[in-house]
Amino acid sequence: MSEIITIALAGNPNAGKTTIFNELTGLRQHVGNYPGVTVEKITGRCRHGGVDAEIVDLPGTYGLTAYSIEERTARRFLVDERPDVVVDIVDASNLERNLYLATQLMELGEPLVLAFNMSDVARSRGIEFDLPQLSTLLGVPIVQTVGNRGQGLGEMMDAALAVARSPDRVRSREVNYRPEIEEEIARVAAIIEAEGSPPAGYSARWLAIKLLENDSEV
C-alpha cells in the first residue's frame, strides 16, 4: 500500500485557504461533517512527488480558543486526529493578525509549515520579507504562495512533505510571554504535572495557558 500523508490546511477567513485547497485537490474532494457537529468537513486527495496526500480543509478561524464552534472543531481535529503536518495559510499582506493563529498552532505542538499567501498583494504594498530570518525566529519552514494563480504550491507541498517525514517534526516552540505571565504559567503547569500525566495530545504548559485564559472547554 502506498504512503498517504495527512495535511491539514489552517488559516484565517479570507486568507486564501480554500482557494489553495481547490488548486491542490481539483475535483478529488469529499464533503461531510466533523463528528458530532454540523460544521462542514471538506477533504480531498492530491499526489505530489510520488506521494499521495489527503488534504483536510479546516474551518477558517482566527485562533484555537473555545469561543466558536469552528475554533473548537479545528482544535479537536488537530488534537484527536494528529495530522502529519499542518500548513497555516497566512495572508502575507496582514501578517500581524494572521500570525496569532500560527503562534497557537506552535503552542499546541503541531508539525507546521507557514504559507505566506497573497505575497503579490504584500509586494504591491511595499512589504518584503526576510524569509530565512523569519523561519529561524519562528522555527518553522516558510514559503511564499499566490494561491489564485497556483504559484508556490509545489514549494509548499515540498516543505509539507519534508516536515511530515522528519523524525523531529513535532518540536517544542514556546511562545514566551512577559516574566510575570511566564511565572504563573509555570506555577499552573507544575500543579497539572503533580496531578499526573496531562491528557493525550496536550502539554502541561498548553493546558496552563488555556486555564489562565479561562478557556471553557479546557
Side-chain angles (χ1 to χ4, degrees):
M1 183 179 240
S2 61
E3 178 186 21
I4 299 177
I5 300 292
T6 301
I7 301 173
L9 298 184
N12 288 188
N14 302 314
K17 174 174 59 65
T18 299
T19 297
I20 287 179
F21 174 83
N22 290 337
E23 285 282 341
L24 292 174
T25 61
L27 298 175
R28 299 177 296 279
Q29 300 172 8
H30 175 74
V31 179
N33 287 328
Y34 288 94
V37 294
T38 56
V39 177
E40 196 172 74
K41 179 181 182 181
I42 305 177
T43 60
R45 287 288 182 97
C46 76
R47 188 168 177 81
H48 181 82
V51 177
D52 289 316
E54 180 177 61
I55 315 292
V56 181
D57 186 10
L58 294 177
T61 64
Y62 294 106
L64 294 176
T65 60
Y67 297 136
S68 71
I69 189 170
E70 289 80 11
E71 290 172 330
R72 291 196 300 273
T73 299
R75 191 167 80 187
R76 284 176 184 167
F77 176 84
L78 293 172
V79 172
D80 294 343
E81 301 298 327
R82 284 297 173 190
D84 295 299
V85 60
V86 179
V87 178
D88 182 13
I89 310 299
V90 172
D91 177 356
S93 67
N94 195 354
L95 200 58
E96 184 174 355
R97 183 182 71 179
N98 279 245
L99 283 181
Y100 177 66
L101 175 60
T103 61
Q104 295 212 318
L105 289 164
M106 292 176 198
E107 285 177 341
L108 196 54
E110 294 298 325
L112 186 62
V113 171
L114 298 182
F116 278 20
N117 197 36
M118 304 183 190
S119 55
D120 56 335
V121 177
R123 252 191 312 275
S124 73
R125 296 178 182 175
I127 302 170
E128 295 290 340
F129 302 108
D130 184 342
L131 292 185
Q133 177 71 354
L134 274 173
S135 179
T136 298
L137 290 171
L138 297 173
V140 297
I142 303 174
V143 296
Q144 292 193 87
T145 59
V146 182
N148 59 2
R149 297 180 189 168
Q151 295 176 3
L153 300 191
E155 293 86 346
M156 185 192 84
M157 288 297 294
D158 287 342
L161 294 180
V163 169
R165 290 165 153 177
S166 172
D168 63 343
R169 65 192 183 92
V170 180
R171 290 173 291 171
S172 175
R173 305 182 196 90
E174 288 187 0
V175 179
N176 289 306
Y177 303 95
R178 58 181 185 266
E180 60 269 31
I181 295 177
E182 286 294 332
E183 184 179 330
E184 295 306 320
I185 291 172
R187 184 179 298 175
V188 176
I191 294 170
I192 292 169
E193 288 173 340
E195 291 294 322
S197 298
Y202 299 97
S203 70
R205 176 182 172 84
W206 186 84
L207 289 169
I209 291 169
K210 293 303 163 188
L211 288 170
L212 289 169
E213 291 176 348
N214 289 319
D215 186 294
S216 59
E217 191 169 78
V218 169

